[in-house]
Amino acid sequence: MKKLREARNEYLRELGIDFKSQNSRQRTHVYARNAFICASRGLFTTEIIGEVWRRDHSSVCHATKQHQINLKFSKEYGHYYEIAKRHLSKIHTPAIRKVALRDAQFLTQENRELKAQVKHLEYEVKYLSSLIEFYHNRYGKKD
């Protein structure tokens, strides 16, 4: 956690954000904080990241959910995110973190494939149900 705090401090110093204002709700400060939080997600738990920023884990989860939206609509946020990744790349993380990240990416891909299978099966069920209804209407329902 000490390395994460140091990386955060260097990051804020580079951006010119006062350490005392890290709890500010100004858009610039929120973007900077959330960009660093999202860049940290693959390396540390939500609890550790939250503790470094004096937030709870749900705030970290919320920042993560907003990540794609922020990237899409704010160049400033994207710039902050790249700087945060650069600062975090200096931190040596245990091999287990890298394995966990790789596993998370694998599971995300597997989840996409399973969702596609479910969607296909739902389509098949709908099609077969319509066939059953057609035959019941045409030939009468047999009990």
Side-chain angles (χ1 to χ4, degrees):
M1 186 166 25
K2 182 179 178 185
K3 290 182 180 183
L4 183 60
R5 278 190 211 284
E6 289 170 3
R8 180 207 60 194
N9 293 344
E10 289 175 20
Y11 169 74
L12 291 173
R13 198 175 358 265
E14 182 176 338
L15 295 181
I17 296 176
D18 182 24
F19 296 131
K20 294 176 185 172
S21 67
Q22 68 178 331
N23 290 323
S24 168
R25 291 185 183 209
Q26 290 180 352
R27 183 180 305 265
T28 301
H29 295 172
V30 171
Y31 280 164
R33 182 172 50 244
N34 287 358
F36 191 90
I37 286 171
C38 290
S40 306
R41 276 304 299 265
L43 304 171
F44 298 93
T45 65
T46 56
E47 290 81 10
I48 290 173
I49 297 168
E51 190 173 325
V52 166
W53 287 96
R54 295 188 202 124
R55 300 276 187 283
D56 61 11
H57 83 283
S58 64
S59 297
V60 174
C61 292
H62 178 72
T64 304
K65 287 180 185 176
Q66 296 301 307
H67 179 65
Q68 291 302 320
I69 294 168
N70 289 337
L71 281 175
K72 185 174 181 179
F73 294 107
S74 172
K75 290 179 184 177
E76 180 183 26
Y77 179 85
H79 177 70
Y80 292 159
Y81 182 66
E82 292 304 318
I83 293 171
K85 287 194 315 188
R86 183 168 32 90
H87 282 280
L88 289 164
S89 69
K90 298 173 188 175
I91 297 176
H92 174 63
T93 57
I96 188 129
R97 281 280 170 218
K98 293 177 183 170
V99 169
L101 180 59
R102 190 171 52 243
D103 288 346
Q105 291 169 340
F106 170 76
L107 290 172
T108 300
Q109 179 61 33
E110 187 177 28
N111 189 32
R112 280 191 204 111
E113 292 168 5
L114 290 171
K115 283 182 179 180
Q117 285 180 357
V118 166
K119 192 171 186 176
H120 177 72
L121 290 171
E122 286 173 342
Y123 172 79
E124 281 190 37
V125 166
K126 193 174 183 179
Y127 172 73
L128 292 172
S129 295
S130 67
L131 276 180
I132 290 170
E133 185 178 338
F134 169 77
Y135 285 116
H136 283 178
N137 290 338
R138 186 165 186 173
Y139 299 108
K141 192 173 184 180
K142 293 189 177 184
D143 293 320

